[in-house]
Amino acid sequence: MHRRGRPTREARSREDLARSVVARLREAREDAGLTRTRLADLSGVSRHTLAKIEQAAVTDPGFTVVAAIAGALELQLDDLLRRARDASEDSGRVSPGSPSSADRIGG
C-alpha cells in the first residue's frame, strides 16, 4: 500500500545517498579535468543527461548510467559508494551501516 505524504526515513536516506553519489561523480569529473562533453564521449551518456544529473534535475540516474559514468572516470563502484557514504555520514545524512544505503544506489 502506497502512503502519501512525507517519504520514509529509509527513502530519504536513499535519496541523500543518491545525491552524494552524483556529487562524487561531478567531483571526480572535475578532478580529472574533463568537460561534460568529453565525459559524454567516454561514457556514452549524453552531455545533456550529465548536465541534468549534475544540476540535480535527475535525482536517480539509475545504476547503468552511474556505472557508465564511473567506468569512464575509472572509479570502482564500491569506491564510489564508499566515498558517497562517507560524505553523507560527514554531513549527518545517512546512518553508518544502514542496510538500505549499503545495498542500493538511489533506490
Side-chain angles (χ1 to χ4, degrees), residues 12-21 23-24 78-104:
R12 287 190 308 272
S13 291
R14 282 194 310 267
E15 291 168 4
D16 289 342
L17 183 61
R19 279 190 284 276
S20 186
V21 165
R24 303 298 73 78
D78 57 342
D79 290 337
L80 173 62
L81 187 55
R82 179 187 43 77
R83 290 180 193 181
R85 260 197 237 119
D86 290 349
S88 292
E89 289 170 7
D90 288 345
S91 68
R93 291 184 181 168
V94 175
S95 301
S98 168
S100 62
S101 64
D103 296 333
R104 297 165 42 151

Side-chain angles (χ1 to χ4, degrees), residues 22-58:
V22 167
R24 303 298 73 78
L25 288 172
R26 183 186 63 246
E27 288 172 0
R29 177 185 65 77
E30 291 170 350
D31 290 348
L34 297 175
T35 63
R36 287 181 185 150
T37 300
R38 181 65 181 137
L39 182 56
D41 291 342
L42 294 171
S43 68
V45 175
S46 76
R47 186 182 56 76
H48 177 74
T49 298
L50 289 170
K52 286 174 62 176
I53 291 168
E54 289 187 1
Q55 295 167 359
V58 173

